[in-house]
Amino acid sequence: MSIVANAQVEVRPITSADIPEVLRLLDLTGLTEDRLGAELNADSPYRWVCLPGPDGGLSAVHRGFVWGDHLVLKGVSVDEAARGGAAALQMAFWLRESARREGRRGIAAWVAAGASHSALLAGRLRLRQDGPWIHRYLVPLSVAATADGQMSAVEVHRDTPVSGSLSFGRAGGPDEPWITEDLLAPAAPAGRARRVHWVADRDRLCLSGLPCTIFDGLPALVAALAPLAGELGLTVLDLPIPAVDIPLALRLLALGARRLSRTCVTLARFEFSPTTRNAEPTP
């Protein structure tokens, strides 16, 4: 299904011919012509769509990616001449329907505390902001050098060359709470291996949870993931940290980590099948 922008123009996936226009509209560190071309591959977890403009160029672009069972709506840029309209919402609706057709569990997006625009867009998409409030920290791989041990039973699973999941623990093992439980899925039943989801996002290895039971386990986690990050040419881990944990934040900063935004965020979600998260039937 296409979402109609006006009587003549429809949202559509971008193609390689659109690359110069995308780079004009979306200024992202590390996004090059080659990198964007790779993200357009059919087996890529990334989803790029655009809204053509009246002059033959593009008036808006939206980048998302598949993270676990969800399609995450990530980055939107609208040309100055098209701002103030419904371009961002039109592309988001298109991506939502695309995720439904692909058989995804649902859609998700980061919503910042106090950000009225993103909260309004989340509300129109029926995204529920009932997850924990977190800060996202970029943790350098150099933290691995301080590890005095290794994490046991870490297994890397791949859905695509640049995305997949990580499993920790074995059946029958203890079920201690993680610092941040998986933001994209319910907790695993007791006695089963637990997973978080990963995706390569530009120079970052993004995890959907922080699978350490205490802060001292972080260097060992980074050491366990360093080979995967190095293989993909990534330089940092993107980790979700509880916003209320000030002592943990201070210890992260002492390790050279950097907080991505001044305000805390939550990963708002909507599942297509009716669940306790959804207060009303799927539209």
Side-chain angles (χ1 to χ4, degrees):
M1 183 179 84
S2 294
I3 304 299
V4 179
N6 55 46
Q8 292 79 35
V9 182
E10 295 183 345
V11 175
R12 63 169 174 80
I14 73 167
T15 67
S16 57
D18 299 314
I19 288 178
E21 273 289 281
V22 173
L23 295 177
R24 177 184 68 84
L25 284 174
L26 196 59
D27 183 18
L28 289 176
T29 302
L31 183 63
T32 63
E33 188 171 331
D34 290 342
R35 181 65 179 268
L36 179 53
E39 293 194 3
L40 298 181
N41 289 338
D43 60 349
S44 166
Y46 310 105
R47 302 290 183 270
W48 284 93
V49 297
C50 67
L51 190 63
D55 60 354
L58 301 182
S59 62
V61 296
H62 193 147
R63 176 183 186 263
F65 53 68
V66 176
W67 202 15
D69 293 330
H70 291 73
L71 176 62
V72 178
L73 310 180
K74 188 65 165 44
V76 180
S77 185
V78 180
D79 188 72
E80 186 174 356
R83 290 174 188 173
L89 187 60
Q90 291 163 350
M91 292 186 295
F93 277 135
W94 195 98
L95 284 166
R96 185 180 69 177
E97 296 310 311
S98 175
R100 196 195 302 269
R101 291 195 304 271
E102 291 180 10
R104 305 295 168 193
R105 186 186 217 180
I107 59 173
W110 293 111
V111 177
S116 58
H117 178 72
S118 61
L120 177 62
L121 185 60
R124 294 291 300 273
L125 293 168
R126 300 186 185 179
L127 302 178
R128 297 295 173 186
Q129 300 177 47
D130 55 3
W133 288 100
I134 65 163
H135 284 295
R136 292 168 59 198
Y137 279 86
L138 298 183
V139 180
L141 292 176
S142 58
V143 170
T146 66
D148 56 6
Q150 294 185 354
M151 292 192 68
S152 59
V154 179
E155 298 182 11
V156 177
H157 310 273
R158 273 189 156 102
D159 298 322
T160 75
V162 292
S163 66
S165 62
L166 304 164
S167 61
F168 302 83
R170 298 186 183 280
D175 292 309
E176 298 180 56
W178 286 344
I179 292 176
T180 308
E181 297 291 340
D182 185 8
L183 300 175
L184 289 168
R192 293 186 58 185
R194 301 158 74 190
R195 295 194 177 201
V196 297
H197 302 279
W198 65 273
V199 64
D201 184 16
R202 293 185 288 156
D203 60 342
R204 309 165 187 168
L205 181 62
C206 302
L207 299 189
S208 61
L210 181 52
C212 304
T213 56
I214 59 174
F215 176 81
D216 291 340
L218 179 60
L221 171 67
V222 178
L225 299 182
L228 173 63
E231 174 193 336
L232 297 174
L234 311 176
T235 58
V236 292
L237 300 186
D238 184 337
L239 301 178
I241 307 297
V244 296
D245 199 332
I246 305 302
L248 177 59
L250 293 175
R251 296 185 69 180
L252 279 167
L253 293 174
L255 288 176
R258 179 171 63 87
R259 200 168 77 182
L260 270 179
S261 63
R262 296 178 62 184
T263 59
C264 55
V265 297
T266 187
L267 189 64
R269 292 164 47 192
F270 183 86
E271 276 83 28
F272 295 132
S273 298
T275 71
T276 55
R277 293 182 56 86
N278 302 331
E280 56 193 35
T282 304

